[in-house]
Amino acid sequence: MTENRSGLILVISAPFLVAAFIELSYGSFYLGVLFLALFILMLLLTKKTTSEQEFKPSHLRLVFGLILILAVTVYNIHKNSEFQTLDSMVFLLGLSLVISNFRKFAVIGRFSIYFSSIFLLFYISLFLIPETIGFDLPYYYGHYFVTLPVVAVLQNLGYNITVPEMRFIEVYGVEQTILKIDLACFGWYSLLLILSMVLAYSETIEKIEKRKLVLILITLSFASYLANLLRVAILVHLTYFYGTKTMLTVHSHLGWIIFALLLLPLVKFMIFK
């Protein structure tokens, strides 16, 4: 019963987290805040208080958290740049370290520390290190696992589209245009968010049995990949028949909606069967 409850909470929470990230980064700020609040609410429903034995405030965590928040803020002000993915996660880690010192927010703070730390570990391993050694791993993934499969399927359906170069799709529809499948279109951010969320949840809120945890991770990863492929295909379809302007209208919201719609039936048959 406990395992099913854990899985159910993850199922409901995952679309909120993905939606919050996508909306805050590329869509509506207000929708992003709303989805983030709903995600936090789901976590609060699992465990509302921290016992005296579990609650251990730390001046070191508090100071280090404030330093991280200040460093990211000053850096972005100095560079006159917007918060990017790495900035946001470092800021979240700092904020989590701070609020974990207050009993009322200790559970959320501890979860967020694990969540942001795991995400940063994934990000450094899959993005920063490959980029440093001159191997653009995410872009190869985006080309061979996203761009080419989508184009192959649509070409077989009769769409007049080509791949002029790596990660570009040339569309000969109601208008001739070239779509660039950029880093945010690969679905990696959503996937890393989901994996980090599940692992952090199991470590800090409710321990999930190992076999069930692996199944949940595989299911969510599969749902994320399928949702992203379908999203890119739909966006190309909209561009082909209705033009770029129409495509851009739904561009930011489509990913998390499809992810949620795919996730529920997958979980029903793979986790709760």
Side-chain angles (χ1 to χ4, degrees):
M1 188 71 176
T2 301
E3 292 175 4
N4 282 350
R5 179 168 173 263
S6 300
L8 180 60
I9 291 171
L10 286 171
V11 169
I12 298 173
S13 301
F16 289 146
L17 179 62
V18 173
F21 174 80
I22 293 175
E23 292 293 344
L24 286 171
S25 301
Y26 313 106
S28 166
F29 172 80
Y30 299 104
L31 278 177
V33 171
L34 172 62
F35 287 128
L36 185 60
L38 289 172
F39 172 70
I40 293 173
L41 177 62
M42 290 303 303
L43 295 181
L44 289 173
L45 290 175
T46 65
K47 184 179 179 183
K48 295 185 178 180
T49 58
T50 303
S51 66
E52 188 72 36
Q53 291 77 17
E54 292 176 310
F55 180 63
K56 297 177 181 179
S58 165
H59 293 301
L60 182 61
R61 286 204 312 270
L62 179 63
V63 172
F64 186 55
L66 290 173
I67 290 174
L68 287 179
I69 292 172
L70 183 62
V72 173
T73 304
V74 170
Y75 175 82
N76 279 274
I77 292 175
H78 176 69
K79 294 291 184 178
N80 194 27
S81 62
E82 297 180 358
F83 270 42
Q84 300 298 315
T85 302
L86 183 60
D87 303 315
S88 300
M89 278 299 164
V90 173
F91 188 91
L92 177 61
L93 176 58
L95 182 62
S96 304
L97 289 167
V98 171
I99 67 174
S100 66
N101 287 277
F102 302 92
R103 181 176 298 170
K104 186 176 181 180
F105 306 105
V107 173
I108 296 298
R110 187 163 178 261
F111 166 83
S112 296
I113 290 171
Y114 274 82
F115 168 69
S116 52
S117 298
I118 294 170
F119 183 93
L120 286 170
L121 181 61
F122 279 134
Y123 189 90
I124 291 170
S125 302
L126 298 174
F127 287 83
L128 296 187
I129 292 178
E131 184 180 42
T132 301
I133 63 176
F135 180 65
D136 293 325
L137 177 62
Y139 296 103
Y140 283 105
Y141 171 85
H143 181 69
Y144 290 105
F145 288 91
V146 179
T147 306
L148 293 185
V150 167
V151 169
V153 171
L154 292 180
Q155 283 178 337
N156 285 331
L157 293 174
Y159 288 70
N160 186 11
I161 57 177
T162 61
V163 181
E165 57 182 294
M166 192 172 185
R167 296 186 298 109
F168 284 87
I169 300 176
E170 191 160 10
V171 179
Y172 300 92
V174 293
E175 62 183 49
Q176 182 178 345
T177 186
I178 295 180
L179 303 178
K180 182 181 180 182
I181 310 300
D182 214 340
L183 191 60
C185 303
F186 299 165
W188 269 34
Y189 286 148
S190 299
L191 179 59
L192 297 188
L193 284 169
I194 293 165
L195 296 181
S196 302
M197 180 198 77
V198 173
L199 293 171
Y201 181 96
S202 181
E203 285 297 320
T204 62
I205 294 180
E206 192 167 356
K207 193 70 177 178
I208 304 173
E209 185 266 328
K210 187 175 181 180
R211 187 172 62 177
K212 181 72 71 174
L213 176 62
V214 171
L215 182 57
I216 291 173
L217 290 172
I218 293 173
T219 303
L220 292 175
S221 299
F222 186 49
S224 177
Y225 178 70
L226 287 181
N228 190 61
L229 283 184
L230 186 56
R231 169 182 174 269
V232 174
I234 291 175
L235 293 176
V236 174
H237 168 83
L238 291 174
T239 305
Y240 192 87
F241 286 103
Y242 304 103
T244 307
K245 186 176 180 180
T246 300
M247 181 272 290
L248 291 174
T249 303
V250 299
H251 177 270
S252 300
H253 316 296
L254 191 59
W256 62 263
I257 294 173
I258 295 175
F259 173 76
L261 292 175
L262 279 176
L263 176 66
L264 297 179
L266 277 172
V267 169
K268 176 178 174 57
F269 291 106
M270 296 181 69
I271 295 180
F272 298 112
K273 60 182 179 180

